[in-house]
Amino acid sequence: MTEPTRLLIHGATGRMGQALIRLAAERKDVRVVGAASRSRPGSLVPSVAWIPASALESAPDFDIAIDFSLPEAFDAALALCVARGAGLVSGTTGLSDPQRATMAEASHRLPLVWAANFSLGVAVLADLVERAASKLAGWDCDIVESHHIHKKDAP
């Protein structure tokens, strides 16, 4: 048996961060080694250490950071992954053009996945709209994405 992949959850108090921590606790192939956020989560799996966002560099060793934070917290997570040579999976939305450029540069040095939406349904819908648009010359085809009322920004 190989060792579980060590995860750092960045944005641990958000809906996605909490869901990731819960789901990881049910798996044997991953282990959350740290949960980073501005404030301490209300509850954590006992084996998961909380890391204040202001002290992110003190995070234990990890293989992959999963980032569902806010644009103002994204840079520190990306910088930590670059410094440690760790992978990054991010769903943080609202990134600026300079942040996207820095992320693109980092993708040449480390495994990196970014998406504004990880929903399979949205991916399929985007493909369908692209195919429909190619068949409907002159039509303006778009996807309008809406979120729950607690979403702090829009993708």
Side-chain angles (χ1 to χ4, degrees):
M1 175 96 183
T2 62
E3 290 294 314
T5 301
R6 299 168 300 171
L7 303 177
L8 172 68
I9 307 298
H10 187 246
T13 55
R15 289 173 182 252
M16 284 300 299
Q18 288 292 293
L20 288 165
I21 291 167
R22 273 192 319 274
L23 291 169
E26 298 170 5
R27 301 184 59 100
K28 296 193 182 321
D29 57 342
V30 296
R31 180 171 51 97
V32 177
V33 296
S37 60
R38 285 182 295 179
S39 58
R40 182 181 288 274
S43 64
L44 278 176
V45 174
S47 62
V48 176
W50 173 64
I51 298 118
S54 60
L56 191 58
E57 67 283 348
S58 70
D61 289 340
F62 61 94
D63 302 306
I64 300 170
I66 302 179
D67 168 60
F68 280 90
S69 63
L70 297 172
E72 56 269 20
F74 173 81
D75 297 334
L78 178 60
L80 182 63
C81 289
V82 169
R84 296 199 185 177
L88 175 65
V89 174
S90 179
T92 296
T93 56
L95 298 177
S96 67
D97 289 340
Q99 285 175 306
R100 288 177 187 259
T102 301
M103 182 172 47
E105 168 57 33
S107 72
H108 297 285
R109 292 181 281 166
L110 57 98
L112 194 150
V113 175
W114 177 88
N117 192 311
F118 281 84
S119 165
L120 178 58
V122 169
V124 169
L125 184 58
D127 178 65
L128 292 172
V129 168
E130 187 177 315
R131 288 195 278 157
S134 72
K135 304 286 187 208
L136 300 169
W139 288 45
D140 185 15
C141 298
D142 293 304
I143 297 174
V144 176
E145 184 177 5
S146 62
H147 287 270
H148 53 81
I149 60 170
H150 303 291
K151 180 97 172 104
K152 296 190 184 206
D153 61 1

